[in-house]
Amino acid sequence: MAGYLVEDARKVTTHRLTEMKQQGKKIAMLTAYDYTMAQIVDGAGVDVILVGDSASNVMAGNLTTLPITVDQMIYHAKSVVRGVKRALVVCDMPFGSYQVNASEGITNAIRIMKEAHCDALKLEGGEEIIQTVRTILAAGIPVCGHLGLTPQSINKFGTYAVRARGEAEAEKLVRDAHLLEEAGCFAIVLEKIPAKLTERVCRELKIPVIGIGGGPADGQVLVLHDMLGMNNGFSPKFLRRYADLHGVMTDAIGQYVTDVKSGDFPNENEKY
Ligand code: KIV
């Protein structure tokens, strides 16, 4: 079953992603947070694996991405890297690890790269963090930007509603996207913005634009647990569910409970 639509089995690089945009080939990106899932995601042909700080939500059960630490992100990223052969592995820099100043940002960026062995980092924000982005890039670390709905700023926004519907916010987003490209970012994630705005940024930028809830773009990213239907309660309009793993897993575990309690498991063939 492995190897869906993989035209090029070589390890994906940031350079390859730029080529894909030039050739009109779409980029498939998903999150992963552990070794076993990363092996499956990589084997199924995903081009970019994001070790998202959404681990704070889906792995640790926090309401926001804010509590996750650099140590915890390194743990997740290390586990993912061990399971990946082909995909480019991008790790989120967590809240608080790069917002203070460029010096703290580069220290944490180097630590994540050294310890996690990932390929690149993702930071949320535009003009406000551009100096930090430049400093990290100057150290030779590839950076992916993230604009639109930036979950690390949820307390400022106060809502997970669509961003940049108004002209002023839309124009700032376009300026920020250009700033990130000019600084040397290899890609930008645009989260939950109007499709027309995504289309404009895709047209104006040479680097790939990866959408989540932003309509068609050069590529798409989803949170793995959401697209696999493991989170029953989360169903925004933009989410396409490819499986009902919540149902499948609940049925399997329920059957196991029944079998243990009835004495059906283990049977004659399942013992030594
Ligand atoms: O942390 C994450 O999963 C992300 C995606 C939503 C893009 O940043």
Side-chain angles (χ1 to χ4, degrees), residues 6 31 44 79 81 101 109 112 115 132 141 146 186 207 241 246:
V6 174
T31 66
S79 312
V81 167
N101 55 42
I112 296 171
E115 295 184 30
T132 303
I141 300 170
H146 184 157
F186 72 88
I207 58 172
R241 283 220 172 95
H246 188 276

Side-chain angles (χ1 to χ4, degrees), residues 29 31 33 50-55 65 92 122 124 146 151 189 191 212 221-223:
M29 178 165 166
T31 66
Y33 317 100
L50 173 65
V51 185
D53 58 359
S54 49
T65 58
D92 264 337
K122 178 165 79 59
E124 295 183 6
H146 184 157
V189 168
E191 181 164 352
I212 172 163
V221 58
L222 285 175
V223 169

Side-chain angles (χ1 to χ4, degrees), residues 60-77:
N62 292 309
L63 280 180
T64 72
T65 58
L66 274 69
I68 201 159
T69 64
V70 171
D71 284 346
Q72 289 164 340
M73 288 305 297
I74 289 173
Y75 170 80
H76 286 296

Side-chain angles (χ1 to χ4, degrees), residues 173-242:
L173 186 144
V174 173
R175 273 199 311 278
D176 282 345
H178 280 283
L179 264 181
L180 291 168
E181 176 171 75
E182 283 155 22
C185 287
F186 72 88
I188 296 181
V189 168
L190 291 184
E191 181 164 352
K192 227 170 170 189
I193 61 168
K196 271 205 172 327
L197 186 57
T198 303
E199 191 193 319
R200 176 175 166 198
V201 179
C202 287
R203 205 175 45 242
E204 292 188 14
L205 262 53
K206 290 192 178 64
I207 58 172
V209 172
I210 313 292
I212 172 163
D218 303 314
Q220 295 293 321
V221 58
L222 285 175
V223 169
L224 183 65
H225 293 57
D226 298 341
M227 62 84 74
L228 290 177
M230 293 173 91
N231 299 332
N232 248 355
F234 185 66
S235 49
K237 184 180 176 189
F238 71 80
L239 176 64
R240 187 180 293 183
R241 283 220 172 95
Y242 287 84

Side-chain angles (χ1 to χ4, degrees), residues 31-48:
T31 66
Y33 317 100
D34 67 82
Y35 170 77
T36 305
M37 291 296 232
Q39 272 192 321
I40 296 171
V41 172
D42 188 52
V46 163
D47 302 302
V48 183

